[in-house]
Amino acid sequence: MCAQSKTIPGQSLFKWVFLLILFSFMMTGCTDGPDTSDSTSDEPKKPRIALVMKSLANEFFSTMAEGARTHQAAHADQYELLVDGIKDERDVSRQVQLIEEMMVQQVDAIVIAPADSKSLVTACRRAQEQGIVVINIDNKLDAEVLTQQKISIPFVGPDNKAGAKEVGDYLAGKLAEGDEVALLEGIPTAYNAQQRKAGFMESIEAAGLNLVSSQSAQWEMDRANQVAGDIMTQQPGLKAFFCSNDSMALGTLAAVRSADKLGQVQIVGFDNINAVQEAIKAGNILATADQHGDQLAVFGIEYALEILESGGTPDDKETPVDLVTQESLAASQAAE
């Protein structure tokens, strides 16, 4: 049989007084003692820049991210870098989440290659309202939506329409008037997809080519393989594909090879990834556009640092885009 405990008068009061004194002592120690995080760091706080990418499964964007990491390593005393991206080119909601995660981490700037030109604007506005500098690279945000949301976000990137027209003109020069051609588009709501389509269309119309099909393959290699195969089945006289990025050009190349039409159906792309460079050297793809992907994110980061330092109001900044052909690759290799 257990003895019942008895409460001694005043014992509870003594207990609470003791705990109160102990708590006060602990709080005094926390607030008045040395703050090692401040007192031991005499270095100025480095800005933290977040790079929010599209699909890192796409070689073009993984190259872009790697270029940014290399730049940060060479300028580690100037800024910190956080890099993240989505797995699927169409996963807009995940990109919105990434922006919100960077806001929670209180970064100083976000450099973003948006998966969609319209859907990302609201998240970017919220970041700006938190005092974060936002720089838009690769795919330009929609000007009308930016105006509706009463914000301005500078775009750093190439003239996609001019680049596509240059590639298209090169392809058109290899074809005859009236030849049947097809266009594989990117995501229709993406500004760079619209601009590349516009550039290719100018070439097609100027050369008097016969556009028999224009479809979106969503920037994806597998999708392009399927779409290109279907188009060749329906249009056996087809002479060429204009592909709005290199991933789709590679998917199209696989379809052309499967159809045993290598050399009969020409292909051009846009991005200048390594696999397409090799295909150009082998004569299986005719040309692409080099928008200097390894430097594109760096251009955005450097602009973000400039704005953080100056506090100025930024404008858009155009970056170079160049035609890449078998001849230009040979000349570049000879010059090395």
Side-chain angles (χ1 to χ4, degrees):
M1 185 173 180
C2 297
Q4 298 237 337
S5 63
K6 295 181 179 179
T7 303
I8 301 173
Q11 190 176 40
S12 294
L13 178 62
F14 174 80
K15 178 181 177 183
W16 281 108
V17 169
F18 173 78
L19 290 173
L20 181 61
I21 292 171
L22 178 60
F23 178 76
S24 299
F25 174 78
M26 291 172 66
M27 291 301 295
T28 302
C30 287
T31 55
D32 291 346
D35 185 339
T36 54
S37 63
D38 290 334
S39 62
T40 59
S41 177
D42 295 329
E43 296 181 1
K45 179 178 175 292
K46 290 185 290 188
R48 304 176 75 216
I49 296 181
L51 177 61
V52 177
M53 304 293 290
K54 291 166 70 176
S55 173
L56 292 176
N58 183 327
E59 182 189 323
F60 177 73
F61 293 106
S62 62
T63 300
M64 195 186 297
E66 194 55 38
R69 291 190 182 98
T70 301
H71 182 271
Q72 192 277 333
H75 301 80
D77 59 328
Q78 296 178 19
Y79 73 99
E80 297 177 11
L81 180 67
L82 295 82
V83 180
D84 212 334
I86 53 180
K87 295 180 180 178
D88 188 315
E89 296 271 5
R90 299 160 293 185
D91 194 354
V92 175
S93 59
R94 176 57 186 150
Q95 233 184 7
V96 170
Q97 288 178 358
L98 287 176
I99 293 175
E100 292 170 346
E101 288 171 13
M102 297 305 172
M103 290 167 62
V104 170
Q105 294 192 52
Q106 298 183 322
V107 299
D108 298 285
I110 294 175
V111 178
I112 179 169
D116 185 88
S117 295
K118 297 182 179 180
S119 304
L120 270 297
V121 173
T122 300
C124 290
R125 177 179 55 76
R126 287 199 295 268
Q128 278 193 335
E129 289 171 349
Q130 191 172 299
I132 296 172
V133 170
V134 180
I135 303 292
N136 172 203
I137 61 171
D138 180 60
N139 176 35
K140 193 173 185 178
L141 293 167
D142 188 89
E144 186 175 340
V145 178
L146 288 171
T147 301
Q148 290 171 356
Q149 301 238 4
K150 300 179 180 179
I151 60 171
S152 174
I153 296 177
F155 174 70
V156 178
D159 184 332
N160 283 277
K161 182 179 177 182
K165 185 174 186 310
E166 192 170 9
V167 174
D169 287 347
Y170 185 79
L171 171 58
K174 307 292 183 184
L175 302 174
E177 185 175 352
D179 276 351
E180 295 181 352
V181 298
L183 172 57
L184 294 194
E185 307 170 27
I187 294 175
T189 53
Y191 182 79
N192 57 350
Q194 296 166 359
Q195 290 297 295
R196 291 175 196 179
K197 178 180 179 181
F200 283 139
M201 287 304 300
E202 282 194 5
S203 297
I204 291 169
E205 290 168 3
L209 302 174
N210 181 19
L211 181 68
V212 295
S213 182
S214 181
Q215 301 183 44
S216 172
Q218 306 287 316
W219 299 129
E220 299 285 348
M221 188 184 303
D222 291 345
R223 179 68 179 154
N225 180 261
Q226 179 186 342
V227 172
D230 291 344
I231 291 174
M232 283 188 290
T233 300
Q234 296 161 9
Q235 307 290 341
L238 192 81
K239 297 296 184 183
F241 283 101
F242 294 78
C243 301
S244 295
N245 77 352
D246 278 354
S247 289
M248 295 193 294
L250 291 173
T252 298
L253 174 59
V256 169
R257 185 177 278 117
S258 294
D260 199 22
K261 290 192 173 184
L262 275 179
Q264 300 174 43
V265 178
Q266 302 289 351
I267 305 165
V268 293
F270 197 109
D271 280 343
N272 193 33
I273 65 175
N274 289 331
V276 164
Q277 280 192 20
E278 295 306 313
I280 291 173
K281 290 175 183 175
N284 295 328
I285 289 180
L286 193 63
T288 187
D290 185 5
Q291 53 176 327
H292 305 277
D294 61 332
Q295 292 299 300
L296 201 50
V298 172
F299 294 147
I301 289 168
E302 289 179 336
Y303 203 28
L305 289 170
E306 180 184 326
I307 294 165
L308 285 170
E309 184 175 349
S310 68
T313 303
D315 295 319
D316 290 354
K317 180 174 284 190
E318 188 171 316
T319 58
V321 56
D322 301 303
L323 175 68
V324 177
T325 65
Q326 201 171 48
E327 296 82 5
S328 70
L329 288 173
S332 177
Q333 191 170 2
E336 291 177 355

